[in-house]
Structure formats: structure tokens, C-alpha cells
Amino acid sequence: MTRRHEAEIPAGSVTSKSLFVMPDADAPVPAVLILPQWSGRSPAEDSFAEKLAQLGYAGIACDLYGDGRRGTSQAENQALMQVLLDDRAELRRRLLDLMEAVGASPDIDSDRLGVAGFCFGGLCALDLARAGADIRCAASFHGLFSPPEGLDKPKIKATIAVYHGWDDPMVPPSDVTSLAKELSDRQADWYLMGFGHAVHAFTRPDAGDDTSAGIAYDAHADRRSWRDFTDLLEDRLQ
Amino acid sequence: MTRRHEAEIPAGSVTSKSLFVMPDADAPVPAVLILPQWSGRSPAEDSFAEKLAQLGYAGIACDLYGDGRRGTSQAENQALMQVLLDDRAELRRRLLDLMEAVGASPDIDSDRLGVAGFCFGGLCALDLARAGADIRCAASFHGLFSPPEGLDKPKIKATIAVYHGWDDPMVPPSDVTSLAKELSDRQADWYLMGFGHAVHAFTRPDAGDDTSAGIAYDAHADRRSWRDFTDLLEDRLQ
């Protein structure tokens, strides 16, 4: 049995409407912040939170845009995302505020926090790690990699796992080698799983199977990344 | 309880002295050929065979040099390896002969074969997959990637897993992107785990911890690669 409630959390310049899905437990539990794709918090992230709660982790499907805002077209999604891509300092503030609110929850063990993100949310997961946040692990699923510019570079505490579709047209191999260099230069504990033939959004069954469009579900990559991710949570959060 | 016996197997132009470590089982079992590092079959590969047998797989520590030959210095290792690097057709024959002999064993299910190799043996594992062999999975641990030239390119049947130390001085990032392209062009099912900070020989505790030498043990990479590898065997051989 899991319990769920929506919370309003001041995050940077907005008020985040995020969903907490809590496992049944007698003691504070480890928690995973879930950072959405560009469209904003959606049933996909809420379901992922539920899956994690069933494994014993609090799953928090985070709203990063404020007031639960969601795009309903690619143009709207792009516009919502671009605001934060253009202001990575504000993105960092929202992420840190959310993390602190999650850690302050009496049902959650603030020493055992992790983060996972999808697509744009993958970049957000990396950004929370890049901010030196007190998280134990950060996972990017088919995320974007470009680092923030002009922000400080504290010690990265999280173990970073990057699940990447090798044929993702938005993230060419040169981005992989750049990210590897960035994370190694910063002495982060990191690893990458690169999946042959997989493209963007490979964990999303609703992305269809037309890889030529650059966005498609990939059953192998979905299964392998999930398997490793749950092992990562066991390693770092239990 | 496991049982072990050494077998003499005609393999290409040599006679291979390979070790079979068999699990206790009433029916034919899946098997994993283990391809050694450049020094030739050693206690490390024999131990790995034992570990696999304890999981229910026949582990076959393969001698690729013939007559159980082993190098006792870097110069000898290099010379032994170079013969096969210079004649990839002969290497392919030895690998295919070994695989067929393993599959012909009455205790082994020839439909459920896999291969794993270390360093030079990682290249050999890839070469067996590149030969279109009837194996279900091929794993390279800190292996070399350079493809054979002038050999035919049949359909690759194995799922290929590449466990790679990102700072391996023998295998720079450009080799990673080349291998990815080769395997994708050949429509192989493949994925790669790249481990930040890990160098060559990361699974070998006896490699020490001086990463500046380019050869060192890495506990994280060792644990993560083993975890994924055992999952791969479950996926593909059970």
C-alpha cells in the first residue's frame, strides 16, 4: 500500500505542485526526486513515483515549472523548458529548494536522497548533482548533458548514472565524451550506460517505435536501465 | 559442489588446454567461454570459471595460445598476443573451434552459450561475436576494440556488453565511438558501460591502485560490471 499527497513547495521564483508517493513504513524512508521531461509533471512521472514507492522509496514527482504547469504542444513544452535552460541559476535554486523540502519531510530520511530525471529532467538531475547537493545518486534517462555556465562548481557528492540512447539525435557521441570529461574533471563518481540503436525517450512506451523520428521506445534499453537504476538505489540509498 | 576437468581441444593450428568447471546439475547447463588476458590462461580465469559454475553456468577457462602456454613477462605476453593480433583469421578459427567443442559437450546446452573476455580476451569475445557465432551474449571487460580487417561480416547473433574503463589509456574515447559505430552498422544488439576514472584491468585486484600507471583495480567498476554481467547471463542464458 502506498499513500499519496500533493504538496505546494516554494521553489526558486515559483510554487511547485509536486506529488509525494509514500511507501508503507514505520521509519523515515529514502526518497527519490523525479524530474520530468520538457512537458512538465505528467502521469508518467507520477507512475514512476508509484513504482519507486512500491520498492520502498518515497517517490516525489516534481513540478519544476510552478503551479503544476504543463505544455500541451511541442511549442509550449519548448517555451517552458527554454526559460530554465536560459537561467540555470534559477533552475538550480528550484532544484535545491525542492530537495530541501523533501528532506524536511518527517517521513523521509534526509541522508538518503536520490534524484532521477527524464529528457530535460535528466539535465536537471545532473544539475542537482553539479550543484553539490546532498544527494547520494543522480540518474539521467535519455537526458541532455550541456553543463551550466557561470555557476560555481562545488564538490559533486552524488554517484552519477547516465542512461543514454547512443542514437539520440539530440545528444551526439561528442556530448557523451564532453560530459565524461566534465564529470571526471570534477572528480565525480560516475558511469554511463550507452544503448546501441536506442534514441530519445527510450523508456517511454508511448513514444512509439519509429526510431527514424529520433524519439522511440526501446524495450532493451528500458529494461537494462531500470535494472541498473534499481541496483543503484539499493547500493546508495539502502 | 562443482567439478572440474581439463580438456585438450584442437583449435585452429594449436591444441588448447582449457579448464571446464561444471556446476552440479541433472540436465545440460548453459556455458560461458572465458577468454584470458594477454598472458594466457591463468588462475584468474580459472577462478572466474569457478564463480560462474557456482551460479549454475559451466565456466570454461580457455587457452587460446595452445598447450596452456603462458607469458611470464610483459615482453612474452606481448609476443604471444601479437601473433593472434596479426592473424585475426587464425584467432577466429581458434575461437570457433573452442566454441564448437564446448557446445558438443553432453553436459552443456549448445543453444545457451556465452563468452566473456578480459583485456586481450575482451577483443577475442568481440571477435567471436563478430564471426556470427551461435552465442547468445558476449561481454568484454576492459577489452581492446580494434576490428579485424579482411574477414567476412556475418550477422552478429550475440547481445554484446562492453564494460569499459573510461580512462583506459589503451582505449581512448575515439575507440569507444568507433566500436559503437561498427556494432550499430552491423545491427548488433549492444550496450556499453563506461566507468569514470577506471583504467585498464579494473576487475583485477592484483592490478593495484595506481591509476596513473593506466592499469589498476577499481572496486566500483568491478562491482558494477559484475552485477550487470550476471544480469546479462540471466537474461540471455536462462
Side-chain angles (χ1 to χ4, degrees):
Chain A
M1 281 291 289
T2 60
R3 291 169 292 120
R4 42 174 72 198
H5 67 276
E6 206 170 61
E8 300 209 343
I9 301 169
S13 62
V14 299
T15 299
S16 165
K17 275 194 184 169
S18 294
L19 177 72
F20 286 62
V21 186
M22 303 296 297
D24 211 16
D26 298 329
V29 292
V32 180
L33 282 78
I34 302 158
L35 305 176
Q37 52 168 337
W38 66 341
S39 61
R41 189 192 133 203
S42 76
E45 289 79 27
D46 292 359
S47 300
F48 197 77
E50 177 69 35
K51 263 171 96 172
L52 291 181
Q54 287 174 4
L55 294 178
Y57 306 97
I60 297 99
C62 296
D63 159 34
L64 278 175
Y65 293 152
D67 301 317
R69 213 163 285 146
R70 281 188 64 189
T72 56
S73 66
Q74 297 214 348
E76 278 183 32
N77 297 343
Q78 179 68 41
L80 285 164
M81 174 175 74
Q82 198 62 45
V83 172
L84 290 172
L85 286 178
D86 289 344
D87 189 351
R88 299 285 278 271
E90 170 65 17
L91 173 57
R92 179 181 282 193
R93 275 191 296 276
R94 292 187 194 180
L95 292 165
L96 288 168
D97 287 347
L98 278 163
M99 185 196 73
E100 280 177 29
V102 167
S105 165
D107 299 340
I108 286 174
D109 179 354
S110 63
D111 283 340
R112 291 186 293 163
L113 301 182
V115 63
F118 301 85
C119 308
F120 168 61
L123 176 139
C124 300
L126 293 178
D127 266 20
L128 188 55
R130 285 164 169 145
D134 278 319
I135 49 174
R136 294 209 188 173
C137 55
S140 163
F141 292 84
H142 38 81
L144 310 176
F145 296 163
S146 62
E149 287 176 17
L151 298 184
D152 63 338
K153 298 181 179 181
K155 180 172 168 50
I156 292 177
K157 296 169 188 160
T159 294
I160 294 176
V162 179
Y163 306 109
H164 172 61
W166 203 265
D167 288 350
D168 188 330
M170 298 173 218
V171 186
S174 58
D175 282 16
V176 174
T177 49
S178 294
L179 177 69
K181 183 170 184 332
E182 179 202 350
L183 298 179
S184 285
D185 286 349
R186 292 189 63 179
Q187 296 298 319
D189 174 30
W190 69 269
Y191 63 99
L192 171 133
M193 290 187 86
F195 303 105
H197 312 291
V199 293
H200 201 63
F202 61 75
T203 65
R204 299 291 302 265
D206 59 357
D209 60 3
D210 177 11
T211 55
S212 70
I215 297 184
Y217 179 66
D218 184 298
H220 291 310
D222 183 29
R223 184 171 49 79
R224 289 173 185 145
S225 59
W226 170 252
R227 181 176 76 186
D228 186 83
F229 176 63
T230 53
D231 283 333
L232 174 69
L233 296 183
E234 271 186 45
D235 286 346
R236 302 296 290 136
L237 295 190
Q238 289 188 355
Chain B
M1 282 289 290
T2 59
R3 292 168 292 121
R4 42 174 71 198
H5 67 276
E6 207 170 61
E8 301 209 342
I9 301 169
S13 62
V14 299
T15 299
S16 165
K17 275 195 185 170
S18 294
L19 177 72
F20 286 62
V21 186
M22 304 295 299
D24 211 16
D26 298 328
V29 292
V32 180
L33 283 78
I34 302 158
L35 304 177
Q37 51 167 337
W38 65 341
S39 61
R41 190 193 130 201
S42 75
E45 289 79 26
D46 292 0
S47 300
F48 198 77
E50 177 69 35
K51 263 171 95 173
L52 292 181
Q54 287 175 6
L55 294 178
Y57 306 97
I60 296 99
C62 296
D63 159 34
L64 279 175
Y65 293 153
D67 302 318
R69 212 164 285 144
R70 280 189 62 189
T72 57
S73 67
Q74 296 215 350
E76 279 184 30
N77 297 344
Q78 180 68 41
L80 284 165
M81 174 175 72
Q82 198 62 45
V83 171
L84 290 172
L85 287 179
D86 289 344
D87 189 351
R88 299 285 278 273
E90 170 64 16
L91 173 57
R92 180 181 282 194
R93 276 190 296 274
R94 291 188 194 179
L95 293 165
L96 288 169
D97 287 347
L98 278 163
M99 184 196 74
E100 279 177 29
V102 167
S105 166
D107 298 342
I108 287 173
D109 179 353
S110 63
D111 283 339
R112 290 184 294 161
L113 301 182
V115 63
F118 301 86
C119 307
F120 168 60
L123 176 140
C124 300
L126 293 179
D127 266 20
L128 188 55
R130 285 163 168 146
D134 278 318
I135 49 174
R136 294 207 189 175
C137 55
S140 164
F141 292 84
H142 38 82
L144 310 176
F145 296 164
S146 63
E149 287 176 17
L151 297 184
D152 63 337
K153 299 181 178 179
K155 180 172 170 47
I156 292 177
K157 295 169 188 160
T159 294
I160 295 176
V162 179
Y163 305 111
H164 172 62
W166 203 265
D167 288 350
D168 188 330
M170 298 173 218
V171 186
S174 57
D175 282 16
V176 174
T177 47
S178 294
L179 177 68
K181 183 171 184 330
E182 179 203 350
L183 297 179
S184 285
D185 286 349
R186 292 188 63 180
Q187 295 298 318
D189 174 31
W190 70 268
Y191 63 100
L192 171 133
M193 289 189 86
F195 303 106
H197 312 290
V199 293
H200 202 63
F202 60 75
T203 65
R204 298 291 302 265
D206 59 357
D209 59 4
D210 178 11
T211 55
S212 70
I215 296 185
Y217 179 66
D218 184 296
H220 290 310
D222 183 28
R223 184 170 48 78
R224 289 171 184 147
S225 59
W226 170 254
R227 180 176 77 185
D228 186 82
F229 176 63
T230 53
D231 283 333
L232 173 69
L233 296 183
E234 270 186 46
D235 286 345
R236 302 294 290 135
L237 296 190
Q238 289 187 356

